[in-house]
Amino acid sequence: MTGEQVIFLIVGAVTLIAALMVVTVRDLVHAALWLVATLFGVAIIYTLLNAGFLAVVQVVVYIGAIAILFIFAVMLTRRQAADTGAALNKNWWAGALMAMLAFAGLIFMLQSWSGFQKQAAAIPLGFDAVNQLGSALTSPAGFVLPFEVASVLLLAALVGAVYLAFNKK
Amino acid sequence: MIPLSWFLILAAGLFSIGLFGVLARRNAVAILLGVELMLNAVNINLVAFWRYGDILLMTGQVFAIIVFAVAAAEVAVGLALVISVYRRRSTVVAEELDLLKW
């Protein structure tokens, strides 16, 4: 077992345990903090996959913006009675069954695929992933149109969120 | 070296946990937390397929960045909806929001 594999197993276990805490813990502030732990684990997984830029974006966008937004939303929608109720609804066993079926189905489908045990090819000498990603996002032959559509989507979400949360009184 | 299957199994587990969160949690904010877990599982898959496929094609990473943008937009609108609902009904428990249920 190589060092990379040991790191993957530790990080993967911590990520999955933190994700389980996110969906089961009652206090929502704690759930949001467990989400931060999960997102850090996913950032390390990106680093193991040689996607350093995405790991940085994960920390900045997900942990720096989205997780903090969740904590703000929890604090804005808190009421005393909400903390005494159950965390899970009465049909939670059906949800657990669905999740297990989805997991088993995914693993079953993946196992029948011939590329399942594939090993990563060596990275070519002088390969610069950030450079490649930047030119792919901005070249007309690449993905400049989806990139611009994403910016329009973010603008629409910004305007929509301000309109929805605006207090008209 | 780590085989591709490890990443895919981790992503499948993360997705299933997120699915459980969406289906089983009562609080609307907690449901959105489950959606975030599912989006992260999808992103692990996209980046893993980029790394284990043709590394010179950046499609996987570009797709992951688009998913980042969509996740940010989804969270902003979703939490604005939750705050708006809380202001009108003073509850964020999903099963108490039955105005459209006849």
Side-chain angles (χ1 to χ4, degrees):
Chain A
M1 190 170 279
T2 64
E4 262 187 4
Q5 289 180 332
V6 174
I7 293 173
F8 178 90
L9 288 178
I10 294 170
V11 172
V14 169
T15 307
L16 286 180
I17 289 168
L20 270 178
M21 296 301 284
V22 171
V23 297
T24 50
V25 90
R26 173 177 296 168
D27 191 335
L28 278 176
V29 178
H30 291 176
L33 292 176
W34 280 111
L35 182 75
V36 170
T38 313
L39 297 175
F40 255 118
V42 176
I44 298 171
I45 298 290
Y46 289 159
T47 318
L48 283 175
L49 283 165
N50 302 96
F53 179 71
L54 284 187
V56 173
V57 172
Q58 171 91 0
V59 172
V60 171
V61 173
Y62 258 106
I63 300 173
I66 293 181
I68 302 301
L69 202 59
F70 268 112
I71 293 173
F72 269 114
V74 170
M75 288 173 173
L76 283 173
T77 60
R78 168 158 292 202
R79 62 167 193 194
Q80 273 70 34
D83 291 333
T84 55
L88 303 175
N89 60 30
K90 58 184 182 298
N91 289 327
W92 67 270
W93 55 271
L97 193 70
M98 281 290 290
M100 277 175 204
L101 275 178
F103 182 72
L106 277 171
I107 297 301
F108 177 74
M109 286 302 290
L110 286 170
Q111 258 186 342
S112 60
W113 177 48
S114 59
F116 192 43
Q117 294 295 337
K118 201 172 174 181
Q119 293 284 346
I123 293 177
L125 211 64
F127 177 74
D128 186 357
V130 180
N131 196 347
Q132 290 279 328
L133 183 62
S135 46
L137 276 176
T138 49
S139 82
F143 301 93
V144 70
L145 190 63
F147 186 64
E148 296 300 332
V149 170
S151 62
V152 174
L153 173 75
L154 281 175
L155 180 68
L158 176 75
V159 175
V162 169
Y163 176 75
L164 282 173
F166 189 69
N167 199 350
K168 289 171 193 72
K169 273 173 275 181
Chain B
M1 291 296 286
I2 307 169
L4 175 60
S5 54
W6 291 22
F7 290 103
L8 298 186
I9 290 169
L10 173 70
L14 204 57
F15 185 88
S16 304
I17 291 172
L19 182 64
F20 171 73
V22 170
L23 291 175
R25 291 295 292 233
R26 293 177 74 228
N27 193 305
V29 179
I31 292 174
L32 284 175
L33 288 173
V35 174
E36 287 309 304
L37 291 180
M38 290 160 83
L39 286 168
N40 266 281
V42 171
N43 261 353
I44 292 178
N45 266 358
L46 289 171
V47 181
F49 281 124
W50 163 75
R51 180 68 187 88
Y52 286 77
D54 188 352
I55 201 166
L56 293 173
L57 287 175
M58 299 307 287
T59 319
Q61 283 213 26
V62 171
F63 213 131
I65 285 182
I66 302 288
V67 172
F68 276 132
V70 172
E74 170 256 325
V75 161
V77 175
L79 290 179
L81 272 173
V82 169
I83 289 170
S84 179
V85 163
Y86 179 76
R87 202 174 277 145
R88 282 154 197 268
R89 315 276 314 257
S90 64
T91 178
V92 287
V93 177
E95 59 204 20
E96 289 175 16
L97 305 174
D98 51 2
L99 202 66
L100 285 175
K101 206 155 106 187
W102 193 48

